[in-house]
Amino acid sequence: SSSSSSSSSSSSSSSSSRIDTAMMCHEGFLRSARGLDVELRGLVRESVSVFSNAEQGAAGEAFTVTLVGHSLGAGVASLLALLWRDEFRGLKCYAYGCPCVGSPALCKALEPHVTSILHGDDLVPRLSIGSCDDLRDSVLRVARTQGGGASLVMSGTAREAHIRMNDIRATCRTPANKLYPPGRLVYLAGSGATTSVATTGAVVEDRQWADFDEMIVSWRMLSDHLPGAYQQALERALGESELLHASHL
């Protein structure tokens, strides 16, 4: 995925594609979404018209558009949903392992249309300039700890080490330069995930953007992002969670 979080406020001259300049988004993903908008909007509009007429004749229901993507594709699809939300009624987007593409205001605006499905310790939905800065500052803070660095921080009982690490996280964790996964966030618990966020132990949980504002360094942070890992997590959750069925994932 393109995870460089250089963000910009952007607007389009087309009223149907305008993005509120108060909202911030990832410039690269927006550029890709606008390219697909130019290429596909007319085709999708025509297809919706044709199939809606057929559906209305058969069952009295209008045809709707659903966008689906994983990783980079999820980020582009979510911003394409932003561009198309006013034209295609009932539009939905399901974004698996979605990168950080928007500010809280933009992510909130996409809640009716976008569901981001996030798995385990997946690095990508937590990766932005701000979270990289936090990780760097935390590592430097540990390294500069007087009297032994990491050895001192991790000394003593597990509880004592955990308290010291949380103190470092609290000091180094800031909201600056951070983008987030868009829309409603649905978290799939990974097998052996080491998430720092309090969990109920459920297979599937609704989460908040603040739960994904720092990276989790673990042996699963890359493998949890793979499409196969998401498929396995969904299969584990299927039949076990009412939330999963309610989300139509």
Side-chain angles (χ1 to χ4, degrees):
S1 302
S2 171
S3 299
S4 169
S5 291
S6 169
S7 59
S8 67
S9 59
S10 305
S11 61
S12 170
S13 58
S14 169
S15 60
S16 60
S17 299
R18 184 175 295 120
I19 293 179
D20 188 341
T21 54
M23 299 182 185
M24 303 295 291
C25 66
H26 190 292
E27 184 177 11
F29 283 105
L30 179 60
R31 188 182 299 117
S32 295
R34 281 179 166 161
L36 286 178
D37 178 33
V38 171
E39 182 178 351
L40 297 177
R41 186 188 287 260
L43 294 173
V44 173
R45 182 187 296 126
E46 181 180 354
S47 297
V48 168
S49 176
V50 171
F51 284 103
S52 290
N53 290 335
E55 289 289 328
Q56 287 174 346
E61 296 182 358
F63 189 79
T64 58
V65 176
T66 300
L67 303 172
V68 181
H70 171 263
S71 194
L72 186 152
V76 174
S78 66
L79 293 186
L80 190 61
L82 179 67
L83 299 177
W84 286 4
R85 60 179 176 163
D86 293 332
E87 176 166 356
F88 301 112
R89 187 174 181 179
L91 180 143
K92 296 292 183 183
C93 173
Y94 298 99
Y96 294 86
C98 189
C100 298
V101 299
S103 64
L106 182 141
C107 294
K108 178 70 175 177
L110 283 174
E111 277 188 344
H113 307 284
V114 178
T115 299
S116 290
I117 302 93
L118 313 170
H119 171 236
D121 294 343
D122 187 353
L123 167 69
V124 172
R126 299 175 168 93
L127 185 60
S128 67
I129 288 179
S131 63
C132 287
D133 288 345
D134 288 354
L135 179 61
R136 176 203 61 203
D137 293 345
S138 296
V139 170
L140 290 175
R141 176 77 179 274
V142 170
R144 293 168 180 168
T145 300
Q146 294 182 353
S151 297
L152 177 62
V153 172
M154 300 307 294
S155 63
T157 66
R159 176 175 175 76
E160 291 170 341
H162 182 70
I163 291 174
R164 281 192 289 270
M165 288 302 298
N166 277 344
D167 288 342
I168 291 173
R169 287 174 55 217
T171 302
C172 299
R173 194 174 179 181
T174 68
N177 296 320
K178 289 183 179 177
L179 300 180
Y180 300 90
R184 177 191 177 195
L185 306 185
V186 175
Y187 177 75
L188 301 176
S191 176
T194 55
T195 176
S196 61
V197 181
T199 176
T200 64
V203 177
V204 184
E205 300 175 355
D206 269 315
R207 288 290 178 86
Q208 302 299 316
W209 300 305
D211 296 339
F212 295 89
D213 72 343
E214 67 173 348
M215 286 186 284
I216 297 174
V217 179
S218 79
W219 67 277
R220 301 189 61 93
M221 61 193 296
L222 296 179
S223 61
D224 276 354
H225 181 65
L226 298 176
Y230 272 83
Q231 181 177 349
Q232 291 174 8
L234 285 169
E235 290 174 349
R236 284 197 306 270
L238 194 61
E240 298 181 29
S241 171
E242 293 182 3
L243 176 60
L244 187 66
H245 288 288
S247 300
H248 303 291
L249 305 183

